[in-house]
Amino acid sequence: MVLLIVAAQPTPEQMLNLGQNFVMFLIAMAIGAALSAGLNRSKNHRMHTMGEALFEPPYKKAAKAETSWYKTFSGWQLVVFLVVTFIVGLNTTKFSINELLNEDGFNGAVRLFKGLFNPNFEILPKAVLNIIETIFMAFMATTLAIPVAFVLSFFCAKNIMKSPGAYTVYMILRTFLNFTRAIEALIWAIIFSVWVGIGPFAGMLALMIHSVASLAKQYSEMVETVSEGPIEGIQSTGATKLQTVWFAIVPQVILPYISFTVYRWDINVRMATIIGLVGGGGIGTMLIQYQGQAMWPEVGCIILVIAIVVWAMDQASAVIREALK
């Protein structure tokens, strides 16, 4: 497909024609698949493609003699793929050494860093108050997300939702949570800023929605890895579904749940500084105000406060999670 784009040199208008490009993509995929199938079935054993090498059954790999990667077709195919992808990436990101070393841009960066490294501590009290607000946003978002994620995690665990009806619920919830998690907290902050107005409440709601989706996924994956022995033991006593979950599964997952939750609070504190940029309240809003006016010494003070709090949270989180192991 990349070679096709390079050869055809489409204009910007042609690149916007999604229908035609989708057909071209399918044709390129079909040609590539046919070519790979032909090479893999050839009598020359060195002509196996990268796909064949990746997905080859273990018993076939074990039967083969060890061969250096540069003596195999798949090895060179991987090298060509990485080189072409890197070149396309350079072109797509418009990578330019000239712009990086441009004198005007470089002088602007020097002025910025001079401001950042000479923080204006006159705004320190205000920055401290805002970072406290940010910490409480993260705390409330995590606290409100825990019970919702806890309940959802059992409905999102494949080993529990086995019957056809339960499996349908599992698929619907999994899809919904994947969709919710795919929308970054920054986007949720924009949505809630319009919904409830700019401020810490909007930021807290954005973090809570994202935390529910993330925690439910992590919790459910823990449920899927529990030992079947306690479950079978509890079921043999005639326990109901709810009693089986409470007495056989919850004791096995409670410590990892706590560990994930502490880590999520740590993430939320860091994320709260970002969503403040779009009206989510806290120190992020203060940061964007000073940044918009190019007041770099004030920005330097805010960044210093954020860095200290994030470092302290990271250290505390690591100690707590280590203690819970």
Side-chain angles (χ1 to χ4, degrees), residues 58-318:
Y59 70 89
K60 282 190 177 180
K61 288 183 181 177
K64 283 185 176 178
E66 287 288 334
T67 309
S68 301
W69 68 269
Y70 57 84
K71 294 181 180 177
T72 62
F73 180 81
S74 59
W76 282 107
Q77 189 183 10
L78 177 63
V79 170
V80 171
F81 170 75
L82 292 176
V83 170
V84 171
T85 305
F86 186 75
I87 292 171
V88 173
L90 288 178
N91 186 53
T92 304
T93 57
K94 300 187 184 338
F95 185 86
S96 170
I97 290 290
N98 290 334
E99 288 188 20
L100 189 64
L101 301 179
N102 179 275
E103 188 175 351
D104 291 339
F106 185 75
N107 290 337
V110 169
R111 287 196 299 275
L112 188 152
F113 279 109
K114 278 184 179 176
L116 294 180
F117 286 112
N118 291 282
N120 179 4
F121 288 109
E122 290 182 6
I123 66 161
L124 184 60
K126 189 178 176 183
V128 171
L129 286 177
N130 277 273
I131 197 69
I132 290 172
E133 183 180 270
T134 299
I135 293 171
F136 274 100
M137 279 167 54
F139 174 75
M140 287 301 296
T142 311
T143 304
L144 294 175
I146 290 170
V148 182
F150 179 81
V151 174
L152 286 178
S153 67
F154 298 104
F155 291 98
C156 294
K158 200 173 183 179
N159 57 335
I160 295 178
M161 310 295 279
K162 290 180 179 175
S163 67
Y167 187 73
T168 304
V169 173
Y170 159 83
M171 287 299 295
I172 292 172
L173 279 176
R174 274 277 182 168
T175 305
F176 175 73
L177 291 176
N178 286 336
F179 178 76
T180 305
R181 200 174 59 258
I183 301 173
E184 281 296 324
L186 198 66
I187 307 299
W188 284 114
I190 294 172
I191 294 170
F192 285 112
S193 296
V194 175
W195 190 343
V196 301
I198 291 173
F201 185 43
M204 189 276 289
L205 290 173
L207 289 175
M208 186 192 72
I209 292 291
H210 206 265
S211 297
V212 167
S214 297
L215 284 176
K217 179 179 183 295
Q218 289 178 316
Y219 288 172
S220 64
E221 287 178 355
M222 285 308 305
V223 173
E224 289 175 351
T225 59
V226 297
S227 172
E228 289 292 322
I231 298 175
E232 292 171 358
I234 294 292
Q235 286 175 336
S236 66
T237 64
T240 62
K241 194 84 172 177
L242 185 60
Q243 289 171 326
T244 304
V245 169
W246 187 253
F247 292 106
I249 297 178
V250 171
Q252 295 189 63
V253 299
I254 194 67
L255 284 180
Y257 271 28
I258 295 172
S259 179
F260 281 138
T261 305
V262 172
Y263 186 53
R264 184 67 209 181
W265 184 33
D266 178 18
I267 291 173
N268 279 347
V269 170
R270 282 176 278 162
M271 203 178 283
T273 61
I274 304 299
I275 64 171
L277 301 178
V278 292
I283 202 164
T285 301
M286 187 179 172
L287 177 64
I288 197 65
Q289 287 171 351
Y290 285 113
Q291 181 270 329
Q293 300 173 60
M295 298 170 70
W296 304 123
E298 286 75 12
V299 172
C301 178
I302 294 170
I303 290 176
L304 185 63
V305 170
I306 293 172
I308 291 172
V309 170
V310 169
W311 175 81
M313 287 292 301
D314 186 56
Q315 294 298 310
S317 173

Side-chain angles (χ1 to χ4, degrees), residues 4-16:
L4 192 64
I5 294 173
V6 172
Q9 292 289 315
T11 63
E13 290 76 16
Q14 289 173 326
M15 290 291 286
L16 291 175

